[in-house]
Amino acid sequence: MQLTNNEKNGKPVGRALAAATCALLGVQATDTLARDEPGEWDVETALLVYSETDDRVQAAEPVISATRNYDGDRKLNLKLIADTLTGASPSGATPSDLPQTFTRPSGSGSYDVAAGDAPLDDSFKDTRVALSASWTAPLNRDYTYTVGAYGSKEYDYLSTAVNGSLSRYLNNKNTTLTGGLSLGVDIVDPVGGAPIGLSRMPLKANKTQAQFDQEFAATRESDDTKTLVDALFGVTQVINRRTLMQFNYGVSYSSGYLTDPYKILSIIDDASGANYGGNLIESDGNPVYLYENRPDTRMKHTLYWQTKYMLENGDVMDGSYRFMVDDWGITSHTVDLKYRWKMDKSYLEPHFRYYLQSEADFYKRYLTATEYNGGTPTQSEASADYRLGELTGLTFGAKWGYRFDEDRELAVRAEYLIQTNDGDKGFGKLASQDLYPDTNAMWLQLSYSF
Amino acid sequence: MTTISVSPEDNPAKHPLPRLTGQQRSWHGRFEAMASPCEILLDGVVRKDAEQALFHAARETWRLERKFSRYVSGNPVDRINQSKGEPVTVDDELALMLDYAAQCHELSDGRFDITSGVLRRAWRFDGSDHLPEKNETDALLDLVGWDKLNWQRPLLTLPKGMEIDFGGIGKEYAVDRVLLDLKRSLPEGSSVLVNFGGDLACSGPRANGKAWIVGVENHRKLTDSSETLSLRGGALATSGDSRRYLLKDGVRYSHILDPRTGWPVPGAPHSVTVAAPTCTLAGMLATFAMLQGAGAERFLEEQDVAFWVQRSAG
C-alpha cells in the first residue's frame, strides 16, 4: 500500500505535514524554504576630495550608492556620482625660457605662461554627473547573471554603456567562472569644437580678430564619437577556508575619436632647442603649437591576478597584480597590497600601490621643426600627454573604518600619490627646462554606509 | 575558548558545560545533548550576545531532553509510561506534541507510531544474524498502535504495558525550538545555524549574505562529510543509521520497523536527508520516506522537496 498525494482530508501528505508541523512549533506556514524578507535599501555614501599639488587639478566627488536585496540572491544597485573638477592640467606644451601665450580651447581669449613654468591649461572646469544601475539574479542553482546600464554627462562629454555578465558556479560554489561584455558609446563635444589633429593652434597675436576667427574655424571639425567594447573572462577559486584567488583576462577595444581635444605639442627648433616659430615661419611671428592626434582605434589586453588571505586572527591580506598591454605600445604593471588589521569594532588598512608604465609609440614630449615639416608633419600621430609617457606611480595610504553595528559603518581613507615621468630630456635651450615635473596628489575619502 | 556556566538545576543530566570559540562577530558554541554533539554557529553578533545565545540554547535543549526523554524517571513521558492505564494530565507543550504524533500517525497510514518502541525488545540490530521469531513480534504488536490510546486533550490514557517514545521527533523539535528562540532574542542582522548531530536549521544566509556550507554525511563510508551543500535558509534532517541492521541469508534487515507488522520495512534506504522549512518537518518527511522502504524516492519526489537518499551499492 503506497502513500499517495490524493490523501485523506483532501490534502497531500507534505502539505498536511507542513501545516501540522507549523501548529506544533507555533509558526506561520510557509510554502517554500525560508527566504529573506524583502530587505531594506543598503545605502553607501562617500565624499572624495582630490587635490594635486601646485594648483593643479582639484576634485570633489560625492557618491551615493543604494542596493536593494530582494532575497539572498537578487539585487538591484543604483549609483549616483557627481564630480566637480577645477584647476589646471598640463597642456602638453614644453616650458620655455620665454613667456608663452596660448589660445583657450574655446577660441575666445588666451592665457599666458611665465618663462620656465610648466604650461598648464587653467580653463579646465568640469562637472560630471554619472548614474548607473545594475540587476543581479540567479538563473538557476549554478548560474547568476547581471545586467546593467551606465550614463554620465559632462558639458563636453556624454558617455553611455550597457553591460551584462554571466557567472557559473562549480564544485559547491568554490569555483566561479564569469564572462562579461560591455558596450559603450561616447559622444565627445569639446569646447570650441574638436581640433583637427596635428593642425596648428591659431594664435591671436599680430592678427586681426577676423583673421584669427577664420584661422580658428579652419582648425575645427565637428564633434565626434567613440565606441567601446569590453569583454572579460574571470575565474574565482576558493583555495581553502582562508584563501580566495581570482584571475581575470580582459580585452577592450575602442574606436573613434580617442584624441584629447585640449592637449597640444610644442614644436622645437632643431638647432637651438628653443620654441620654433617667431620669425622662422611665414609672417605670423608666433611660436608653433600643434593639437595632438592619437590613433582612432585601441586594443588593450589585461591580465589580473588577486589573492586574499585571512589570517588566524581575522586580519586580511589582499594582494593583486595587473598587467596591461595595448597596441599603442604601452605596457603597464600594477602591484597593489593591502593589509587589514582587525580590532574590536574597527579596522585599519594600510595600502600600497606601485605602478609602472612604458610610453606609447606616438608619445613625443615635443616635435622638432624637422618633424613639423612646414605644416605637413612627418608622423600622423603624436601626443605629449604625460599620461601616455613613461611613468612610475607610488601610492601610500590607509583606511580606517568603524562599525557601529551590523549595518552602519564609517570609514576614512587617505592616500598620497607620487608620480614621476621620464623620457627624452631635450637639447639646447630645452635641456635646461624641467620637462617632466612630478605629479603629487592626495585624496581623502569619507564614507558612511547604513 | 570560553566555558559558559549553567546552574546544576538547568543541567540535570550533568552534561559538560557549553564551550564557545570564535572572535569578532563569528562564534561557534558547542554542548552535548540527546546523545549528539550539538552546535550553534552565530554570525554578526558580539561576544556577549553569543555567550547569552549559547547559554539559552544549552538550557533549552537540556530542558527538552529531560522532558521528552523516555530514560528520565519521573518526567512527563515516564509518568505516562508508568501510568498503568490511568489517565494522565499533560501540559500544553506535551499536548501539542501528542497532537502532532496523532497527525503523523494518520498521514503515514499508521507507519509512524510513537508507541512502536516496545518492538525493540525483540529486535537487536547489532549486525548479527539473530532474527526474532514471528510469534515474539506478534505478541509485541498487541502493545503497539496509536489508536489503542485515548487522547482527549489534556488527558491521555495509555493501556497498561504500552509505551510512548518521542525519539523520532525530539531532536528535530529541539533544533527548531532553539532556533526560534535565538531568532527572537538576537539583534537584527545576526544569523544563526543550529546543528544537533546533523539535524540542523538556520535563520537565513550568513551575515555576509553567503550561504552556510553544510556537509551531508555519506552513510556508506561512515567517514566525515562527503558532500557539501549550500544552505541559505530552512533546515535539513536525516533519518537512518547504517550501523544498525541485521543480516541473514544475504538479506539486510534495516532497523526501520513497520509498527503494523513488527518487522523491518523491506527495501529501506540506509539514510534519507531532506531539506524543508523546519527541521521537524524535514525529519518527519525523512522518516516517512524511510518507512516507505523501496518507495522512498518516489514518495519524496511527490513531496516536492530537495532530498538525498543513500542506498547500499548493488
Side-chain angles (χ1 to χ4, degrees):
Chain A
M1 183 169 167
Q2 283 292 338
L3 215 57
T4 59
N5 263 345
N6 27 28
E7 250 320 299
K8 318 176 175 311
N9 323 329
K11 274 183 173 176
V13 173
R15 201 67 73 71
L17 191 57
T21 309
C22 289
L24 169 69
L25 295 168
V27 295
Q28 290 291 307
T30 49
D31 255 355
T32 53
L33 279 191
R35 284 247 183 265
D36 276 9
E37 289 298 300
E40 305 194 347
W41 288 94
D42 285 331
V43 185
E44 277 184 51
T45 54
L47 176 67
L48 175 77
V49 178
Y50 173 91
S51 169
E52 291 179 2
T53 47
D54 313 329
D55 293 340
R56 284 174 54 174
V57 179
Q58 316 286 315
E61 182 182 82
V63 178
I64 180 161
S65 166
T67 304
R68 172 129 198 189
N69 232 323
Y70 287 89
D71 52 42
D73 297 312
R74 299 183 304 145
K75 286 192 188 98
L76 176 70
N77 173 265
L78 299 173
K79 198 171 189 175
L80 177 69
I81 301 174
D83 284 339
T84 319
L85 295 170
T86 53
S89 77
S91 67
T94 54
S96 165
D97 59 331
L98 298 169
Q100 303 185 79
T101 302
F102 299 93
T103 303
R104 290 198 183 281
S106 60
S108 50
S110 59
Y111 59 95
D112 298 326
V113 172
D117 280 3
L120 300 176
D121 178 354
D122 69 349
S123 47
F124 169 71
K125 268 190 195 53
D126 214 338
T127 303
R128 178 179 70 122
V129 176
L131 189 63
S132 71
S134 76
W135 169 253
T136 303
L139 279 176
N140 58 31
R141 250 177 62 163
D142 298 326
Y143 286 94
T144 295
Y145 72 95
T146 299
V147 289
Y150 167 88
S152 77
K153 180 76 185 97
E154 304 161 52
Y155 73 104
D156 59 351
Y157 203 95
L158 171 72
S159 176
T160 56
V162 289
N163 57 66
S165 73
L166 184 67
S167 293
R168 166 92 209 256
Y169 302 112
L170 300 166
N171 68 72
N172 299 316
K173 294 204 175 180
N174 284 326
T175 307
T176 309
L177 304 179
T178 302
L181 191 68
S182 161
L183 305 172
V185 176
D186 292 1
I187 297 172
V188 191
D189 180 15
V191 189
I196 292 167
L198 300 187
S199 63
R200 187 179 167 197
M201 174 189 264
L203 293 163
K204 173 74 178 62
N206 319 326
K207 292 189 192 103
T208 65
Q209 187 64 43
Q211 276 175 324
F212 170 80
D213 289 347
Q214 191 187 354
E215 237 181 273
F216 187 83
T219 64
R220 300 293 127 173
E221 52 190 12
S222 61
D223 56 10
D224 238 314
T225 60
K226 62 177 169 188
T227 53
L228 301 100
V229 181
D230 286 284
L232 174 96
F233 180 75
V235 183
T236 306
Q237 177 68 44
V238 177
I239 306 290
N240 58 36
R241 278 185 54 230
R242 304 184 171 280
T243 319
L244 183 73
M245 211 174 265
Q246 186 179 9
F247 191 79
N248 285 350
Y249 164 70
V251 59
S252 157
Y253 179 77
S254 44
S255 71
Y257 187 77
L258 307 179
T259 297
D260 185 327
Y262 308 125
K263 295 275 185 263
I264 55 177
L265 295 103
S266 299
I267 305 295
I268 303 297
D269 178 51
D270 295 80
S272 63
N275 282 67
Y276 175 74
N279 299 324
L280 301 169
I281 56 162
E282 300 166 21
S283 56
D284 174 322
N286 291 316
V288 179
Y289 305 105
L290 298 191
Y291 292 109
E292 73 153 43
N293 195 37
R294 301 182 189 187
D296 54 11
T297 63
R298 186 181 191 183
M299 173 77 102
K300 276 197 247 182
H301 300 270
T302 310
L303 290 174
Y304 177 76
W305 170 74
Q306 181 185 27
T307 300
K308 281 187 179 215
Y309 177 74
M310 190 189 226
L311 284 74
E312 292 285 342
N313 61 6
D315 288 2
V316 179
M317 282 162 72
D318 181 340
S320 72
Y321 167 72
R322 184 190 299 273
F323 173 74
M324 192 283 296
V325 59
D326 69 6
D327 60 359
W328 286 4
I330 297 177
T331 54
S332 74
H333 306 267
T334 313
V335 175
D336 197 288
L337 299 170
K338 289 184 187 134
Y339 187 96
R340 181 175 285 210
W341 263 298
K342 280 201 141 145
M343 295 164 236
D344 182 30
K345 284 189 123 179
S346 61
Y347 61 86
L348 180 67
E349 185 177 83
H351 170 223
F352 166 80
R353 173 182 283 206
Y354 176 74
Y355 179 78
L356 177 69
Q357 171 187 303
S358 71
E359 62 181 36
D361 297 335
F362 56 88
Y363 171 80
K364 305 286 276 179
R365 187 61 191 86
Y366 53 87
L367 289 176
T368 63
T370 310
E371 288 164 327
Y372 173 59
N373 194 24
T376 45
T378 55
Q379 51 191 104
S380 55
E381 285 112 17
S383 170
D385 186 338
Y386 73 100
R387 292 167 300 183
L388 298 178
E390 185 180 309
L391 61 84
T392 308
L394 277 179
T395 308
F396 302 93
K399 181 178 178 183
W400 179 81
Y402 183 85
R403 277 193 101 90
F404 295 94
D405 56 33
E406 207 44 53
D407 287 329
R408 297 177 306 145
E409 181 177 316
L410 178 73
V412 181
R413 186 165 68 99
E415 306 260 6
Y416 192 79
L417 162 76
I418 304 161
Q419 192 169 281
T420 52
N421 284 68
D422 204 7
D424 171 4
K425 296 281 184 288
F427 55 92
K429 283 188 170 176
L430 194 59
S432 59
Q433 300 295 339
D434 181 7
L435 298 183
Y436 304 99
D438 290 356
T439 308
N440 288 357
M442 84 166 290
W443 57 101
L444 199 64
Q445 186 181 40
L446 188 66
S447 59
Y448 180 64
S449 51
F450 55 91
Chain B
M1 194 184 82
T2 318
T3 304
I4 311 290
S5 52
V6 182
S7 66
E9 55 267 29
D10 287 332
N11 184 6
K14 298 189 176 56
H15 289 293
L17 289 176
R19 295 182 314 281
L20 184 73
T21 54
Q23 62 196 6
Q24 299 284 337
R25 310 181 69 80
S26 189
W27 305 94
H28 188 178
R30 293 184 190 79
F31 58 96
E32 286 166 27
M34 305 179 180
S36 299
C38 299
E39 60 174 0
I40 58 168
L41 302 176
L42 295 145
D43 247 9
V45 298
V46 296
R47 172 182 286 275
K48 182 174 64 66
D49 289 342
E51 289 180 358
Q52 195 70 9
L54 178 55
F55 172 78
H56 277 298
R59 196 176 60 167
E60 173 67 358
T61 310
W62 292 340
R63 179 188 74 81
L64 291 169
E65 175 184 46
R66 179 172 180 79
K67 182 167 182 174
F68 289 109
S69 168
R70 60 188 180 91
Y71 302 107
V72 176
S73 54
N75 78 351
V77 173
D78 185 58
R79 282 214 322 277
I80 292 165
N81 288 341
Q82 306 295 332
S83 62
K84 301 191 169 61
E86 293 296 315
V88 178
T89 307
V90 303
D91 70 6
D92 284 349
E93 191 174 31
L94 198 63
L96 279 170
M97 199 65 115
L98 290 166
D99 282 342
Y100 186 61
Q103 283 169 305
C104 291
H105 181 261
E106 187 187 345
L107 288 168
S108 65
D109 289 333
R111 287 181 176 86
F112 178 87
D113 197 321
I114 59 168
T115 65
S116 64
V118 294
L119 293 168
R120 270 188 308 263
R121 296 172 196 167
W123 293 93
R124 258 184 301 283
F125 297 96
D126 46 13
S128 73
D129 64 350
H130 171 78
L131 297 186
E133 296 299 327
K134 184 140 179 4
N135 57 18
E136 203 180 338
T137 54
D138 284 349
L140 285 171
L141 280 182
D142 294 342
L143 301 175
V144 174
W146 171 259
D147 29 28
K148 298 189 173 78
L149 275 67
N150 186 340
W151 166 228
Q152 300 284 341
R153 189 171 181 159
L155 286 177
L156 177 72
T157 312
L158 180 74
K160 192 166 182 295
M162 288 182 71
E163 286 179 12
I164 59 165
D165 177 359
F166 290 109
I169 309 176
K171 191 159 64 132
E172 293 90 338
Y173 174 76
V175 168
D176 285 330
R177 267 275 82 89
V178 167
L179 180 67
L180 284 167
D181 289 351
L182 295 185
K183 277 207 293 205
R184 257 198 301 271
S185 61
L186 284 167
E188 196 66 32
S190 50
S191 65
V192 191
L193 184 142
V194 179
N195 175 11
F196 292 176
D199 293 332
L200 53 96
C202 66
S203 62
R206 303 193 58 163
N208 60 12
K210 295 204 163 70
W212 298 96
I213 305 296
V214 177
V216 178
E217 204 175 320
N218 180 332
H219 281 258
R220 244 170 292 147
K221 285 193 187 152
L222 295 178
T223 57
D224 282 354
S225 311
S226 63
E227 191 192 349
T228 61
L229 55 109
S230 300
L231 193 65
R232 305 193 64 88
L236 288 179
T238 301
S239 174
D241 180 350
S242 65
R243 296 174 190 80
R244 298 175 60 198
Y245 63 93
L246 293 175
L247 199 63
K248 189 172 173 87
D249 304 329
V251 179
R252 192 173 177 285
Y253 295 87
S254 80
H255 82 294
I256 304 295
L257 298 173
D258 189 328
R260 299 166 310 175
T261 63
W263 277 64
V265 175
H270 284 245
S271 80
V272 174
T273 300
V274 174
T278 61
C279 197
T280 309
L281 178 58
M284 197 49 71
L285 284 168
T287 304
F288 276 25
M290 288 294 269
L291 290 163
Q292 291 293 318
E297 287 89 345
R298 214 192 82 185
F299 167 78
L300 288 165
E301 272 154 20
E302 283 172 349
Q303 307 313 319
D304 195 26
V305 289
F307 64 88
W308 297 262
V309 172
Q310 307 261 1
R311 291 187 178 275
S312 49

